[in-house]
mmCIF file of all heavy atoms in Angstrom:
data_model
loop_
_atom_site.group_PDB
_atom_site.id
_atom_site.type_symbol
_atom_site.label_atom_id
_atom_site.label_comp_id
_atom_site.label_asym_id
_atom_site.label_seq_id
_atom_site.Cartn_x
_atom_site.Cartn_y
_atom_site.Cartn_z
ATOM 1 N N SER A 180 12.250 9.137 -66.466
ATOM 2 C CA SER A 180 11.472 8.879 -67.640
ATOM 3 C C SER A 180 11.560 10.063 -68.601
ATOM 4 O O SER A 180 11.474 9.835 -69.840
ATOM 5 C CB SER A 180 9.964 8.684 -67.213
ATOM 6 O OG SER A 180 9.439 9.859 -66.632
ATOM 7 N N GLN A 181 11.760 11.219 -68.106
ATOM 8 C CA GLN A 181 11.909 12.403 -69.029
ATOM 9 C C GLN A 181 13.203 12.269 -69.776
ATOM 10 O O GLN A 181 13.277 12.610 -71.000
ATOM 11 C CB GLN A 181 11.909 13.714 -68.234
ATOM 12 C CG GLN A 181 11.870 14.938 -69.108
ATOM 13 C CD GLN A 181 12.094 16.229 -68.327
ATOM 14 O OE1 GLN A 181 12.597 16.247 -67.293
ATOM 15 N NE2 GLN A 181 11.713 17.390 -68.974
ATOM 16 N N GLU A 182 14.275 11.819 -69.118
ATOM 17 C CA GLU A 182 15.517 11.681 -69.827
ATOM 18 C C GLU A 182 15.358 10.668 -70.956
ATOM 19 O O GLU A 182 15.904 10.919 -72.079
ATOM 20 C CB GLU A 182 16.611 11.076 -68.893
ATOM 21 C CG GLU A 182 17.220 12.089 -67.888
ATOM 22 C CD GLU A 182 18.317 11.538 -67.083
ATOM 23 O OE1 GLU A 182 18.997 10.619 -67.583
ATOM 24 O OE2 GLU A 182 18.485 12.027 -65.931
ATOM 25 N N HIS A 183 14.635 9.624 -70.773
ATOM 26 C CA HIS A 183 14.420 8.623 -71.798
ATOM 27 C C HIS A 183 13.702 9.293 -73.010
ATOM 28 O O HIS A 183 14.045 9.001 -74.141
ATOM 29 C CB HIS A 183 13.543 7.456 -71.239
ATOM 30 C CG HIS A 183 13.175 6.438 -72.252
ATOM 31 N ND1 HIS A 183 14.117 5.549 -72.756
ATOM 32 C CD2 HIS A 183 12.034 6.190 -72.938
ATOM 33 C CE1 HIS A 183 13.516 4.742 -73.697
ATOM 34 N NE2 HIS A 183 12.320 5.081 -73.705
ATOM 35 N N LEU A 184 12.684 10.097 -72.750
ATOM 36 C CA LEU A 184 11.984 10.774 -73.814
ATOM 37 C C LEU A 184 12.854 11.751 -74.578
ATOM 38 O O LEU A 184 12.767 11.828 -75.789
ATOM 39 C CB LEU A 184 10.757 11.524 -73.197
ATOM 40 C CG LEU A 184 9.647 10.672 -72.659
ATOM 41 C CD1 LEU A 184 8.599 11.535 -71.920
ATOM 42 C CD2 LEU A 184 8.936 9.810 -73.718
ATOM 43 N N LEU A 185 13.690 12.433 -73.807
ATOM 44 C CA LEU A 185 14.558 13.425 -74.525
ATOM 45 C C LEU A 185 15.647 12.791 -75.320
ATOM 46 O O LEU A 185 16.084 13.232 -76.429
ATOM 47 C CB LEU A 185 15.249 14.321 -73.459
ATOM 48 C CG LEU A 185 14.296 15.372 -72.787
ATOM 49 C CD1 LEU A 185 15.008 16.033 -71.584
ATOM 50 C CD2 LEU A 185 13.904 16.423 -73.784
ATOM 51 N N LYS A 186 16.134 11.636 -74.846
ATOM 52 C CA LYS A 186 17.173 10.858 -75.616
ATOM 53 C C LYS A 186 16.725 10.450 -76.963
ATOM 54 O O LYS A 186 17.452 10.312 -77.881
ATOM 55 C CB LYS A 186 17.633 9.686 -74.754
ATOM 56 C CG LYS A 186 18.645 9.957 -73.668
ATOM 57 C CD LYS A 186 19.066 8.723 -72.965
ATOM 58 C CE LYS A 186 20.072 9.001 -71.867
ATOM 59 N NZ LYS A 186 20.473 7.779 -71.131
ATOM 60 N N GLU A 187 15.384 10.199 -77.042
ATOM 61 C CA GLU A 187 14.805 9.726 -78.328
ATOM 62 C C GLU A 187 14.778 10.855 -79.361
ATOM 63 O O GLU A 187 14.639 10.595 -80.525
ATOM 64 C CB GLU A 187 13.414 9.212 -78.141
ATOM 65 C CG GLU A 187 13.347 7.972 -77.262
ATOM 66 C CD GLU A 187 11.891 7.463 -77.130
ATOM 67 O OE1 GLU A 187 10.970 8.253 -77.346
ATOM 68 O OE2 GLU A 187 11.734 6.298 -76.689
ATOM 69 N N LEU A 188 14.965 12.133 -78.887
ATOM 70 C CA LEU A 188 14.881 13.292 -79.768
ATOM 71 C C LEU A 188 16.253 13.787 -80.295
ATOM 72 O O LEU A 188 16.298 14.639 -81.167
ATOM 73 C CB LEU A 188 14.120 14.474 -79.065
ATOM 74 C CG LEU A 188 12.704 14.134 -78.546
ATOM 75 C CD1 LEU A 188 12.163 15.312 -77.745
ATOM 76 C CD2 LEU A 188 11.789 13.829 -79.754
ATOM 77 N N VAL A 189 17.318 13.273 -79.681
ATOM 78 C CA VAL A 189 18.663 13.687 -80.043
ATOM 79 C C VAL A 189 19.559 12.540 -80.412
ATOM 80 O O VAL A 189 19.252 11.384 -79.910
ATOM 81 C CB VAL A 189 19.293 14.586 -78.996
ATOM 82 C CG1 VAL A 189 18.457 15.860 -78.706
ATOM 83 C CG2 VAL A 189 19.527 13.779 -77.673
ATOM 84 N N ALA A 190 20.580 12.751 -81.146
ATOM 85 C CA ALA A 190 21.540 11.660 -81.425
ATOM 86 C C ALA A 190 22.310 11.253 -80.222
ATOM 87 O O ALA A 190 22.575 12.033 -79.295
ATOM 88 C CB ALA A 190 22.491 12.154 -82.538
ATOM 89 N N ASP A 191 22.733 9.975 -80.194
ATOM 90 C CA ASP A 191 23.429 9.445 -79.040
ATOM 91 C C ASP A 191 24.678 10.228 -78.727
ATOM 92 O O ASP A 191 25.029 10.451 -77.571
ATOM 93 C CB ASP A 191 23.759 7.935 -79.276
ATOM 94 C CG ASP A 191 22.497 7.068 -79.227
ATOM 95 O OD1 ASP A 191 21.538 7.547 -78.659
ATOM 96 O OD2 ASP A 191 22.628 5.957 -79.663
ATOM 97 N N ASP A 192 25.393 10.673 -79.757
ATOM 98 C CA ASP A 192 26.687 11.321 -79.519
ATOM 99 C C ASP A 192 26.475 12.821 -79.064
ATOM 100 O O ASP A 192 27.401 13.493 -78.756
ATOM 101 C CB ASP A 192 27.546 11.274 -80.794
ATOM 102 C CG ASP A 192 26.901 11.984 -81.973
ATOM 103 O OD1 ASP A 192 25.755 12.367 -81.926
ATOM 104 O OD2 ASP A 192 27.633 12.055 -83.026
ATOM 105 N N GLU A 193 25.227 13.269 -79.078
ATOM 106 C CA GLU A 193 24.889 14.638 -78.536
ATOM 107 C C GLU A 193 24.495 14.632 -77.080
ATOM 108 O O GLU A 193 24.373 15.675 -76.526
ATOM 109 C CB GLU A 193 23.821 15.277 -79.400
ATOM 110 C CG GLU A 193 24.179 15.541 -80.811
ATOM 111 C CD GLU A 193 23.045 16.213 -81.592
ATOM 112 O OE1 GLU A 193 21.903 16.025 -81.225
ATOM 113 O OE2 GLU A 193 23.339 16.971 -82.619
ATOM 114 N N TRP A 194 24.316 13.470 -76.523
ATOM 115 C CA TRP A 194 23.680 13.378 -75.253
ATOM 116 C C TRP A 194 24.830 13.377 -74.136
ATOM 117 O O TRP A 194 25.635 12.489 -74.120
ATOM 118 C CB TRP A 194 22.817 12.090 -75.001
ATOM 119 C CG TRP A 194 22.175 11.992 -73.720
ATOM 120 C CD1 TRP A 194 22.688 11.359 -72.570
ATOM 121 C CD2 TRP A 194 20.978 12.624 -73.235
ATOM 122 N NE1 TRP A 194 21.834 11.544 -71.505
ATOM 123 C CE2 TRP A 194 20.752 12.295 -71.921
ATOM 124 C CE3 TRP A 194 20.012 13.374 -73.896
ATOM 125 C CZ2 TRP A 194 19.581 12.725 -71.201
ATOM 126 C CZ3 TRP A 194 18.876 13.805 -73.206
ATOM 127 C CH2 TRP A 194 18.744 13.423 -71.829
ATOM 128 N N SER A 195 24.765 14.349 -73.265
ATOM 129 C CA SER A 195 25.731 14.403 -72.164
ATOM 130 C C SER A 195 25.042 15.054 -70.978
ATOM 131 O O SER A 195 24.778 16.293 -70.952
ATOM 132 C CB SER A 195 26.977 15.164 -72.500
ATOM 133 O OG SER A 195 27.859 15.176 -71.360
ATOM 134 N N ASN A 196 24.717 14.308 -69.993
ATOM 135 C CA ASN A 196 23.985 14.813 -68.743
ATOM 136 C C ASN A 196 24.988 14.966 -67.666
ATOM 137 O O ASN A 196 25.665 14.074 -67.170
ATOM 138 C CB ASN A 196 22.946 13.708 -68.350
ATOM 139 C CG ASN A 196 22.146 14.139 -67.141
ATOM 140 O OD1 ASN A 196 22.366 15.176 -66.550
ATOM 141 N ND2 ASN A 196 21.196 13.314 -66.765
ATOM 142 N N ILE A 197 25.194 16.225 -67.226
ATOM 143 C CA ILE A 197 26.239 16.543 -66.321
ATOM 144 C C ILE A 197 25.624 17.057 -65.020
ATOM 145 O O ILE A 197 24.895 18.045 -65.011
ATOM 146 C CB ILE A 197 27.192 17.623 -66.872
ATOM 147 C CG1 ILE A 197 27.935 17.053 -68.057
ATOM 148 C CG2 ILE A 197 28.179 18.088 -65.852
ATOM 149 C CD1 ILE A 197 28.838 18.046 -68.784
ATOM 150 N N SER A 198 25.969 16.444 -63.865
ATOM 151 C CA SER A 198 25.550 16.884 -62.544
ATOM 152 C C SER A 198 26.730 17.794 -62.043
ATOM 153 O O SER A 198 27.807 17.238 -61.826
ATOM 154 C CB SER A 198 25.287 15.795 -61.640
ATOM 155 O OG SER A 198 24.915 16.206 -60.363
ATOM 156 N N VAL A 199 26.532 19.063 -61.935
ATOM 157 C CA VAL A 199 27.663 19.893 -61.616
ATOM 158 C C VAL A 199 28.141 19.895 -60.184
ATOM 159 O O VAL A 199 29.257 20.238 -59.902
ATOM 160 C CB VAL A 199 27.392 21.414 -62.023
ATOM 161 C CG1 VAL A 199 27.345 21.561 -63.552
ATOM 162 C CG2 VAL A 199 26.090 21.949 -61.437
ATOM 163 N N ASN A 200 27.292 19.444 -59.255
ATOM 164 C CA ASN A 200 27.681 19.189 -57.863
ATOM 165 C C ASN A 200 28.452 20.382 -57.251
ATOM 166 O O ASN A 200 29.585 20.262 -56.829
ATOM 167 C CB ASN A 200 28.534 17.926 -57.757
ATOM 168 C CG ASN A 200 27.704 16.712 -58.057
ATOM 169 O OD1 ASN A 200 26.435 16.735 -58.077
ATOM 170 N ND2 ASN A 200 28.366 15.567 -58.315
ATOM 171 N N LEU A 201 27.896 21.563 -57.288
ATOM 172 C CA LEU A 201 28.487 22.745 -56.778
ATOM 173 C C LEU A 201 28.596 22.734 -55.268
ATOM 174 O O LEU A 201 27.706 22.257 -54.572
ATOM 175 C CB LEU A 201 27.726 23.958 -57.246
ATOM 176 C CG LEU A 201 27.612 24.229 -58.748
ATOM 177 C CD1 LEU A 201 26.728 25.437 -58.972
ATOM 178 C CD2 LEU A 201 28.980 24.511 -59.288
ATOM 179 N N LYS A 202 29.648 23.257 -54.772
ATOM 180 C CA LYS A 202 29.860 23.426 -53.335
ATOM 181 C C LYS A 202 29.380 24.849 -52.928
ATOM 182 O O LYS A 202 29.302 25.762 -53.758
ATOM 183 C CB LYS A 202 31.308 23.283 -52.913
ATOM 184 C CG LYS A 202 31.930 21.965 -53.374
ATOM 185 C CD LYS A 202 31.318 20.787 -52.657
ATOM 186 C CE LYS A 202 32.036 19.531 -52.918
ATOM 187 N NZ LYS A 202 31.418 18.367 -52.378
ATOM 188 N N LYS A 203 29.061 25.041 -51.651
ATOM 189 C CA LYS A 203 28.774 26.353 -51.109
ATOM 190 C C LYS A 203 30.008 27.229 -51.444
ATOM 191 O O LYS A 203 31.122 26.841 -51.155
ATOM 192 C CB LYS A 203 28.521 26.371 -49.669
ATOM 193 C CG LYS A 203 28.253 27.731 -49.000
ATOM 194 C CD LYS A 203 27.987 27.603 -47.541
ATOM 195 C CE LYS A 203 27.887 28.943 -46.867
ATOM 196 N NZ LYS A 203 29.191 29.500 -46.689
ATOM 197 N N GLY A 204 29.802 28.450 -51.969
ATOM 198 C CA GLY A 204 30.918 29.265 -52.397
ATOM 199 C C GLY A 204 31.241 29.177 -53.883
ATOM 200 O O GLY A 204 32.191 29.862 -54.324
ATOM 201 N N GLN A 205 30.520 28.363 -54.582
ATOM 202 C CA GLN A 205 30.685 28.244 -56.015
ATOM 203 C C GLN A 205 29.367 28.692 -56.708
ATOM 204 O O GLN A 205 28.342 28.885 -56.096
ATOM 205 C CB GLN A 205 31.025 26.796 -56.468
ATOM 206 C CG GLN A 205 32.322 26.385 -55.787
ATOM 207 C CD GLN A 205 32.658 24.940 -56.149
ATOM 208 O OE1 GLN A 205 31.773 24.111 -56.395
ATOM 209 N NE2 GLN A 205 33.920 24.606 -56.037
ATOM 210 N N PHE A 206 29.361 28.768 -58.034
ATOM 211 C CA PHE A 206 28.198 29.246 -58.762
ATOM 212 C C PHE A 206 28.227 28.638 -60.194
ATOM 213 O O PHE A 206 29.266 28.130 -60.632
ATOM 214 C CB PHE A 206 28.082 30.726 -58.882
ATOM 215 C CG PHE A 206 29.126 31.374 -59.718
ATOM 216 C CD1 PHE A 206 28.937 31.595 -61.118
ATOM 217 C CD2 PHE A 206 30.342 31.782 -59.198
ATOM 218 C CE1 PHE A 206 29.901 32.155 -61.878
ATOM 219 C CE2 PHE A 206 31.323 32.360 -59.943
ATOM 220 C CZ PHE A 206 31.126 32.572 -61.382
ATOM 221 N N SER A 207 27.113 28.671 -60.838
ATOM 222 C CA SER A 207 27.022 28.343 -62.275
ATOM 223 C C SER A 207 26.289 29.428 -63.018
ATOM 224 O O SER A 207 25.461 30.107 -62.381
ATOM 225 C CB SER A 207 26.431 26.950 -62.536
ATOM 226 O OG SER A 207 25.151 26.929 -62.192
ATOM 227 N N VAL A 208 26.505 29.497 -64.312
ATOM 228 C CA VAL A 208 25.780 30.400 -65.171
ATOM 229 C C VAL A 208 25.362 29.686 -66.396
ATOM 230 O O VAL A 208 26.235 28.888 -66.969
ATOM 231 C CB VAL A 208 26.661 31.615 -65.610
ATOM 232 C CG1 VAL A 208 25.952 32.419 -66.723
ATOM 233 C CG2 VAL A 208 26.954 32.542 -64.415
ATOM 234 N N HIS A 209 24.083 29.708 -66.776
ATOM 235 C CA HIS A 209 23.659 29.008 -67.976
ATOM 236 C C HIS A 209 22.851 29.825 -68.919
ATOM 237 O O HIS A 209 22.270 30.810 -68.587
ATOM 238 C CB HIS A 209 22.918 27.676 -67.630
ATOM 239 C CG HIS A 209 21.656 27.939 -66.859
ATOM 240 N ND1 HIS A 209 21.564 27.731 -65.457
ATOM 241 C CD2 HIS A 209 20.385 28.297 -67.225
ATOM 242 C CE1 HIS A 209 20.364 27.925 -65.084
ATOM 243 N NE2 HIS A 209 19.628 28.312 -66.119
ATOM 244 N N HIS A 210 22.927 29.402 -70.203
ATOM 245 C CA HIS A 210 22.243 30.095 -71.290
ATOM 246 C C HIS A 210 20.751 29.837 -71.142
ATOM 247 O O HIS A 210 20.274 28.893 -70.607
ATOM 248 C CB HIS A 210 22.761 29.450 -72.610
ATOM 249 C CG HIS A 210 22.353 30.156 -73.841
ATOM 250 N ND1 HIS A 210 21.111 29.993 -74.434
ATOM 251 C CD2 HIS A 210 23.042 30.996 -74.655
ATOM 252 C CE1 HIS A 210 21.054 30.707 -75.547
ATOM 253 N NE2 HIS A 210 22.187 31.307 -75.791
ATOM 254 N N MET A 211 19.968 30.805 -71.715
ATOM 255 C CA MET A 211 18.487 30.715 -71.604
ATOM 256 C C MET A 211 17.889 29.492 -72.343
ATOM 257 O O MET A 211 16.791 29.032 -71.987
ATOM 258 C CB MET A 211 17.888 31.956 -72.200
ATOM 259 C CG MET A 211 18.172 32.223 -73.646
ATOM 260 S SD MET A 211 17.569 33.853 -74.233
ATOM 261 C CE MET A 211 15.784 33.536 -74.244
ATOM 262 N N HIS A 212 18.593 28.877 -73.232
ATOM 263 C CA HIS A 212 18.170 27.708 -74.002
ATOM 264 C C HIS A 212 18.764 26.411 -73.512
ATOM 265 O O HIS A 212 18.506 25.379 -74.074
ATOM 266 C CB HIS A 212 18.389 27.853 -75.450
ATOM 267 C CG HIS A 212 17.672 28.990 -76.164
ATOM 268 N ND1 HIS A 212 16.341 29.233 -75.846
ATOM 269 C CD2 HIS A 212 18.025 29.909 -77.071
ATOM 270 C CE1 HIS A 212 15.913 30.332 -76.526
ATOM 271 N NE2 HIS A 212 16.918 30.737 -77.299
ATOM 272 N N THR A 213 19.597 26.453 -72.489
ATOM 273 C CA THR A 213 20.294 25.224 -71.922
ATOM 274 C C THR A 213 19.267 24.467 -71.153
ATOM 275 O O THR A 213 18.665 24.991 -70.133
ATOM 276 C CB THR A 213 21.490 25.614 -71.096
ATOM 277 O OG1 THR A 213 22.481 26.229 -71.933
ATOM 278 C CG2 THR A 213 22.094 24.331 -70.522
ATOM 279 N N LEU A 214 19.085 23.203 -71.447
ATOM 280 C CA LEU A 214 18.184 22.347 -70.643
ATOM 281 C C LEU A 214 18.847 21.953 -69.340
ATOM 282 O O LEU A 214 20.018 21.553 -69.276
ATOM 283 C CB LEU A 214 17.886 21.046 -71.455
ATOM 284 C CG LEU A 214 16.841 21.241 -72.610
ATOM 285 C CD1 LEU A 214 16.967 20.106 -73.589
ATOM 286 C CD2 LEU A 214 15.472 21.330 -72.047
ATOM 287 N N HIS A 215 18.103 22.143 -68.259
ATOM 288 C CA HIS A 215 18.590 21.828 -66.928
ATOM 289 C C HIS A 215 17.459 21.464 -66.041
ATOM 290 O O HIS A 215 16.343 21.713 -66.293
ATOM 291 C CB HIS A 215 19.332 23.061 -66.354
ATOM 292 C CG HIS A 215 18.506 24.299 -66.204
ATOM 293 N ND1 HIS A 215 18.044 25.061 -67.296
ATOM 294 C CD2 HIS A 215 17.917 24.858 -65.116
ATOM 295 C CE1 HIS A 215 17.283 26.016 -66.902
ATOM 296 N NE2 HIS A 215 17.191 25.953 -65.563
ATOM 297 N N GLY A 216 17.797 20.778 -64.961
ATOM 298 C CA GLY A 216 16.779 20.314 -63.974
ATOM 299 C C GLY A 216 17.468 19.769 -62.788
ATOM 300 O O GLY A 216 18.716 19.848 -62.583
ATOM 301 N N SER A 217 16.733 19.162 -61.864
ATOM 302 C CA SER A 217 17.300 18.554 -60.659
ATOM 303 C C SER A 217 16.364 17.484 -60.121
ATOM 304 O O SER A 217 15.104 17.606 -60.220
ATOM 305 C CB SER A 217 17.505 19.571 -59.602
ATOM 306 O OG SER A 217 16.372 20.273 -59.165
ATOM 307 N N GLY A 218 16.903 16.452 -59.544
ATOM 308 C CA GLY A 218 16.138 15.376 -59.056
ATOM 309 C C GLY A 218 15.693 15.604 -57.616
ATOM 310 O O GLY A 218 15.917 16.656 -57.004
ATOM 311 N N PRO A 219 15.095 14.583 -56.957
ATOM 312 C CA PRO A 219 14.585 14.767 -55.599
ATOM 313 C C PRO A 219 15.705 14.906 -54.608
ATOM 314 O O PRO A 219 16.872 14.647 -54.885
ATOM 315 C CB PRO A 219 13.822 13.386 -55.347
ATOM 316 C CG PRO A 219 13.584 12.813 -56.681
ATOM 317 C CD PRO A 219 14.752 13.324 -57.544
ATOM 318 N N ASN A 220 15.431 15.414 -53.407
ATOM 319 C CA ASN A 220 16.342 15.605 -52.333
ATOM 320 C C ASN A 220 16.226 14.385 -51.370
ATOM 321 O O ASN A 220 15.338 14.328 -50.525
ATOM 322 C CB ASN A 220 16.066 16.903 -51.573
ATOM 323 C CG ASN A 220 17.019 17.084 -50.451
ATOM 324 O OD1 ASN A 220 17.940 16.330 -50.213
ATOM 325 N ND2 ASN A 220 16.770 18.107 -49.604
ATOM 326 N N TYR A 221 17.110 13.370 -51.529
ATOM 327 C CA TYR A 221 17.070 12.223 -50.652
ATOM 328 C C TYR A 221 17.955 12.374 -49.399
ATOM 329 O O TYR A 221 17.991 11.348 -48.661
ATOM 330 C CB TYR A 221 17.591 11.033 -51.462
ATOM 331 C CG TYR A 221 16.732 10.596 -52.641
ATOM 332 C CD1 TYR A 221 17.316 10.428 -53.923
ATOM 333 C CD2 TYR A 221 15.372 10.433 -52.529
ATOM 334 C CE1 TYR A 221 16.521 10.048 -55.010
ATOM 335 C CE2 TYR A 221 14.552 10.103 -53.645
ATOM 336 C CZ TYR A 221 15.167 9.884 -54.813
ATOM 337 O OH TYR A 221 14.328 9.544 -55.940
#
Side-chain angles (χ1 to χ4, degrees):
S180 66
Q181 187 190 21
E182 284 185 29
H183 177 73
L184 293 172
L185 287 169
K186 281 182 179 180
E187 294 180 345
L188 302 175
V189 299
D191 289 342
D192 60 356
E193 292 182 335
W194 183 267
S195 180
N196 181 357
I197 296 176
S198 182
V199 289
N200 293 344
L201 298 175
K202 305 293 185 183
K203 177 178 174 287
Q205 298 175 337
F206 69 90
S207 67
V208 170
H209 60 260
H210 191 281
M211 61 186 288
H212 295 318
T213 298
L214 285 160
H215 59 286
S217 62
N220 178 8
Y221 295 129

